[in-house]
Amino acid sequence: MAVQRAKVGNNGAKGGPLLLAIESSCDDTSAAVLEGFNVRSNLVAGQAVHNKYGGVVPELASRAHQQNIVPVVSAALAEAGVLPHQLDAIAFTLGPGLMGSLHVGVSFAKAMGLALNLPLVAVDHMQAHVLAHFIIDGDKPQPQFPFLCLTVSGGHTQIVQVDGPLSMAVIGRTLDDAAGEAFDKAAKMMGLGYPGGPIVDRLAKEGDASKFTFSPPKVAEHDMSFSGFKTSLLYLIQRESGADPGFVEANLPHLCASYQKAVVGYLLKKMAMAVTQTGIRHVALAGGVSANSALRGALTELGQRNGWHVFVPKFEYCTDNAAMIGCAAQFLLADGRTVGQNCVPFARGIH
Ligand code: KG4
Ligand code: ZN
């Protein structure tokens, strides 16, 4: 098990409830300790077992979570210098996500809560991605309410209007694939590994983004579609590889750069429409795809040109991590929203 030591964002300030947070919704087992909105530890154990399958295999993910959860939680507590009995509450992801994976984190949290007689805080994974912007990190500025958040992950793509920490509404969503899926599926077609997003991002840096074009789909209002990008890439590869079997290999950076440009451009066009229609000029990015360097750069530039306040998460809080679960849980706990032992994970939708 490879535990990645994410940098601790604690700026030294003290205060607020001491929380253990657990995230196990997909293929990363993560545990964090937060004191208020300061992160004292945030560890993520990835699952290399999926790499050879080109995607997450749910049953293997559940088994890997079972192996990882005790060492990851122990390491997070040790790194934070916190003993279990010093905790004020235990937070965990209730959904959405893979049912088997969620059950591991939820069951572990319930058992630990019962043993230590601690309150439980159940967190919505997508809300946590948005609220990761409120993790204290030195004097990094935070968005003001209301703000718009483009939440782009491997399973979801949403434009969220955030009126308050516990008051948010999805005003646009993908009708088919998620943006992360569009990257992962494209990478798979080009014979690259999983997850594909970071690989496409890296290869795109060396490529000519204007070499190939992928037309954006026409979808009304703030909703989106990504499956057409994938199909266009498939047809391009099939057409060109017929004449030249070495086409993909010879054009890999150009294919990555052109595809990434199309997906990022489409996301930003939708975001610009949402800003115009809502009049909200505080704009944030969240979710795994917000680690994409082209998306981060292009949104920042668009914001500068249009006078928006743009908030891009710190790299380690983009992809799945337990610190964001702990951050969301602090808002819920402050509002008295704890749950009982009878809570059940949910795979889809909003809780
Ligand atoms: O939020 P996340 O860690 O897990 C989910 O909740 O889905 O997002 C994972 C997704 C994957 O599809 C991965 O390919 C994508 O985020 N991703 C990226 C980058 N880093 C991660 N996509 C594009 N560029 C990146 N640098
Ligand atoms: Zn996520």
Side-chain angles (χ1 to χ4, degrees):
M1 181 196 72
V3 177
Q4 249 180 49
R5 288 188 184 265
K7 270 227 258 42
V8 174
N10 190 356
N11 66 356
K14 295 277 175 262
L18 205 51
L19 278 188
L20 169 69
I22 295 165
E23 152 63 29
S24 72
S25 65
C26 191
D27 60 340
D28 290 318
T29 319
S30 181
V33 174
L34 278 86
E35 180 170 355
F37 292 91
N38 290 288
V39 179
R40 288 185 45 164
S41 64
N42 180 36
L43 304 186
V44 183
Q47 300 182 352
V49 66
H50 307 288
N51 294 2
K52 65 176 173 206
Y53 300 102
V56 178
V57 183
E59 181 54 31
L60 296 180
S62 316
R63 287 189 215 168
H65 281 305
Q66 281 179 329
Q67 285 172 358
N68 291 348
I69 194 136
V70 172
V72 172
V73 167
S74 306
L77 287 167
E79 186 164 316
V82 168
L83 295 169
H85 75 266
Q86 293 175 309
L87 292 167
D88 294 307
I90 300 177
F92 56 89
T93 307
L94 192 62
L98 299 173
M99 209 34 135
S101 294
L102 289 165
H103 265 296
V104 177
V106 174
S107 311
F108 183 91
K110 282 183 184 176
M112 194 166 168
L114 202 58
L116 296 166
N117 195 23
L118 287 174
L120 299 174
V121 188
V123 174
D124 180 294
H125 180 88
M126 298 310 293
Q127 291 186 359
H129 269 303
V130 174
L131 294 172
H133 285 280
F134 296 94
I135 291 171
I136 292 176
D137 183 21
D139 52 9
K140 189 179 190 303
Q142 299 182 344
Q144 280 167 23
F145 301 109
F147 67 92
L148 293 177
C149 189
L150 177 63
T151 310
V152 271
S153 73
H156 298 81
T157 298
Q158 303 172 337
I159 297 177
V160 186
Q161 180 172 329
V162 191
D163 294 319
L166 302 177
S167 164
M168 45 184 99
V170 177
I171 62 167
R173 60 178 62 74
T174 180
L175 303 179
D176 42 53
D177 292 350
E181 227 175 328
F183 278 107
D184 295 336
K185 287 181 176 171
K188 195 170 180 180
M189 273 178 226
M190 293 185 279
L192 306 172
Y194 178 85
I199 307 171
V200 171
D201 190 354
R202 182 167 43 79
L203 290 169
K205 290 192 169 70
E206 313 293 322
D208 174 2
S210 59
K211 184 138 188 198
F212 305 104
T213 48
F214 301 95
S215 314
K218 290 187 177 54
V219 179
E221 294 288 312
H222 308 312
D223 285 338
M224 292 162 263
S225 163
F226 292 92
S227 64
F229 288 118
K230 171 193 70 188
T231 312
S232 305
L233 177 67
L234 179 68
Y235 289 164
L236 173 72
I237 291 175
Q238 283 177 342
R239 203 172 52 238
E240 297 295 329
S241 299
D244 170 14
F247 168 76
V248 171
E249 207 182 330
N251 288 281
L252 207 46
H254 309 312
L255 285 167
C256 290
S258 305
Y259 187 83
Q260 177 175 270
K261 182 183 171 198
V263 172
V264 167
Y266 181 61
L267 284 168
L268 293 184
K269 196 179 111 200
K270 287 289 177 176
M271 217 41 203
M273 267 177 63
V275 170
T276 306
Q277 285 197 7
T278 60
I280 297 173
R281 303 174 81 79
H282 276 234
V283 176
L285 261 187
V289 183
S290 59
N292 183 267
S293 56
L295 180 60
R296 294 164 83 92
L299 180 66
T300 306
E301 197 187 307
L302 190 66
Q304 277 163 359
R305 254 190 287 134
N306 292 292
W308 305 348
H309 299 271
V310 172
F311 302 87
V312 175
K314 208 173 174 186
F315 199 76
E316 62 255 41
Y317 302 137
C318 291
T319 44
D320 291 347
N321 67 89
M324 70 181 193
I325 303 301
C327 181
Q330 292 291 10
F331 287 112
L332 290 162
L333 194 62
D335 201 47
R337 299 200 206 179
T338 56
V339 295
Q341 287 281 334
N342 57 351
C343 67
V344 283
F346 64 101
R348 293 186 163 273
I350 305 244
H351 185 55

